[in-house]
Amino acid sequence: MAALVVTLTAITVPSVWVLTHNEVTVKPVAAAQPAAAEKVAQEEPPRETSLWSEENAVDAVTHSDRAPVELGTRFTAAQSGWATGVRFYKARGEKGEHTGSVWDSSGRRLAQVTFAGESSSGWQEARFASPVRLEAKQIYTVSYHSKNGTYVGTQGSAPARSGPLVTTSRDAGVFGYGGSAFPKRSNPKGYNYWVDVVFRWRHRHPRPTAWPSPTSSTTTGPTWSPRPTWTRPVPTWTSTPGPTWTRPVPTLTSTPGPTWTRPVPTWTSTPEPTWTSSPEPTWTVKPPRPTPTWTHSPRPTSTWTRTPRPTPTWTRTPRPTPTWTHSPRPTSTWTRTPLPTPTSGPSGTPTPSPTRTTPRPTLTPDPTSSPQPGGGGCAYPTPACAGVPAGTKLSERSLNEDNAAYRVTTPGAVIDGVHIAGDLLIHADGVTVKNSQIDGTVLNANGPKTFRFTIVDSTVGPAKGCESLPAIGQDKYTALRVLVRNHGDGFRAAGDDITIRDSYVKLCSNPGDHSDGIQTYNTGKNLVFDHNTVDQRGVKDYTAPIFLTDPQIVNVTLTNNLIMGGTYSIQLRNGRGTLIVRGNRLVDKSWDYAAVESDCSKIDWADNSLVTIDSNYRITSIVGPLPCAPK
């Protein structure tokens, strides 16, 4: 009988339908196996890379802030993968423990590790206990924390690329002072702090994109496509003399004899392979990384630490109303402290003592006990009694340090009647600053070395906004009749021999700040803070107007000050030697938790009282004595 043979090509095993007058059968037909080049490409082993190669030396400037700091790099990856560790370049002289972290864009810490077995300097690396998944095209931050605050930095670095990794186009280098936390501040000079991530990913070969159709029964074998759809071609028949079968749907004609039926073969398709990937924490493959090219320049910007706000443990109880008897104190006349005369000027010749040409209101060291409504003068420093004297004409001083600061390197130099639209860096001994306005900070540290200076009758701080850094620091200085404005911190005490008198401090804060009027940080001997006004009212992120808590404190004199605001207004703890707190006036109920938190048994505490004041800082009433409260 006539037979029709229709060849069907399938992905699994090709078959041939054989139709006769009495039966329909399906027979498998042997087909050649796919060629090696036509098989699905296998995945290569996972790869690792970092932004910078450890084989290349890092030519960067070492900075010593002497404050805890978190330093980081913002980056993204073109392909999803895993962060397996953190690398950073360690500066010479850096000490202490370091921790590394990876953060997502919202500031959530994804993984953390402590570095162990560090070398004295150069690249350090630590691996996470378990890799953490990073998604493609998302921004992440890798960082490390230094308790000592010595690190390397390179100004104006270009973006770095390696494999799927790339640093962000802007503000890739970030930092934050204090404990280990998400670093989100960036220096406008575009610094790179040389913090790196170890990134692992899988590389795949591209799959074929076309699925060729079979052309005849002699097809040598199946061809694989990325996601095939399995179908069975349906043959059709038409009846002609001698019967000839063609493709569209068959029409069968009944003749005497049995009824013809065509059983439908059952077709199955092989499931598509499932592609999976896993971190495999034990991988060690790490191919060489490309070598980036960098341009390095020093960073002039000085940086400071923020001190975490203490957690309050006080329970405030109602204060009994004391019976207060106060005898009038004789009014005394306050004698101005003469300005120290520098031993020599820039040319080596003696420099005469500065002479004030504008009269200033007379200051008295302590107000009378009676209220002073309508009284004149400045019993305590105010903006009218501190800062640049009224009528002083200022000349602009061009910035000479990276267009961000004015740097003084001449011993005995006198800066008089100038306006500095940035920071003032004092890198020479015996410098005097007077009758001048500095819009940024006044800093006398150059790495580990500091220099003696005097600042008098000057204004420090921008006219508007808020600068988080301290206004003046950090040791071996004298400040007289200085007005500090729009700074998160007023004075930094980080060493020996600091005297601050007759000065006015009005504080501000930015989110995350810990604002202080005067704060000690690794301070030393002989701190005198006498007859100053510190106003911390209205500040949102703050600690205390007087925050002296470091164990290195030796010999403190805290006298005749007008203080207001803070969590605790006066904090003096951990000090040694002679500790004097006398004659201070604290604005009643201006604190959050308590007026005082101090080591009372160590302190000579006397004649301190609670007062009320008017808008001009004049005392309007004596509420009662201010006792010392133990910590």
Side-chain angles (χ1 to χ4, degrees), residues 203-461:
H203 180 76
R204 296 174 182 162
H205 290 298
R207 301 181 187 175
T209 58
W211 178 258
S213 300
T215 57
S216 69
S217 61
T218 59
T219 304
T220 59
T223 303
W224 295 86
S225 66
R227 299 184 183 272
T229 302
W230 305 92
T231 59
R232 177 175 59 85
V234 180
T236 57
W237 297 267
T238 58
S239 179
T240 59
T244 301
W245 302 92
T246 59
R247 299 185 68 179
V249 178
T251 302
L252 300 178
T253 306
S254 177
T255 61
T259 301
W260 300 96
T261 59
R262 178 172 61 87
V264 179
T266 301
W267 295 85
T268 59
S269 61
T270 303
E272 179 189 359
T274 301
W275 303 89
T276 61
S277 60
S278 60
E280 301 182 23
T282 58
W283 295 332
T284 58
V285 180
K286 188 173 182 181
R289 309 180 182 98
T291 302
T293 302
W294 295 90
T295 303
H296 311 286
S297 59
R299 177 179 70 129
T301 305
S302 58
T303 51
W304 297 83
T305 181
R306 305 258 58 86
T307 303
R309 182 183 303 176
T311 301
T313 57
W314 292 85
T315 301
R316 185 171 181 177
T317 58
R319 181 178 67 249
T321 302
T323 302
W324 177 249
T325 303
H326 191 84
S327 58
R329 175 183 299 175
T331 303
S332 58
T333 302
W334 179 257
T335 303
R336 311 303 312 170
T337 304
L339 178 69
T341 303
T343 56
S344 64
S347 61
T349 58
T351 302
S353 176
T355 302
R356 175 180 289 282
T357 58
T358 304
R360 304 298 290 272
T362 301
L363 298 178
T364 57
D366 194 18
T368 61
S369 58
S370 60
Q372 302 175 353
C378 294
Y380 289 99
T382 71
C385 305
V388 178
T392 302
K393 293 184 179 180
L394 302 177
S395 60
E396 293 293 327
R397 184 64 58 95
S398 299
L399 303 180
N400 61 6
E401 188 72 13
D402 224 11
N403 201 35
Y406 181 77
R407 183 167 178 253
V408 181
T409 58
T410 303
V414 177
I415 309 298
D416 187 3
V418 302
H419 175 213
I420 297 174
D423 296 337
L424 174 59
L425 306 180
I426 298 176
H427 292 173
D429 278 320
V431 174
T432 298
V433 182
K434 61 180 182 178
N435 305 321
S436 296
Q437 177 179 319
I438 297 91
D439 290 348
T441 66
V442 179
L443 179 66
N444 68 334
N446 185 11
K449 188 175 182 180
T450 57
F451 305 88
R452 292 187 179 273
F453 73 96
T454 297
I455 181 169
V456 61
D457 295 322
S458 294
T459 299
V460 179

Side-chain angles (χ1 to χ4, degrees), residues 122-135:
W123 283 108
Q124 314 296 320
E125 182 173 314
R127 295 291 180 123
F128 299 129
S130 298
V132 59
R133 178 73 173 177
L134 303 184
E135 299 299 330

Side-chain angles (χ1 to χ4, degrees), residues 484-538:
V484 173
R485 65 185 184 186
N486 296 326
H487 270 275
D489 279 0
F491 295 94
R492 168 63 57 84
D496 298 341
D497 303 332
I498 298 173
T499 299
I500 302 165
R501 282 196 170 99
D502 304 332
S503 296
Y504 171 83
V505 180
K506 177 62 176 175
L507 297 168
C508 65
S509 73
N510 293 308
D513 286 351
H514 298 277
S515 175
D516 301 293
I518 178 170
Q519 177 194 5
T520 54
Y521 183 80
N522 294 331
T523 194
K525 301 176 181 178
N526 308 326
L527 169 62
V528 176
F529 195 75
D530 176 64
H531 196 243
N532 304 288
T533 298
V534 182
D535 189 349
Q536 200 173 40
R537 297 174 300 178

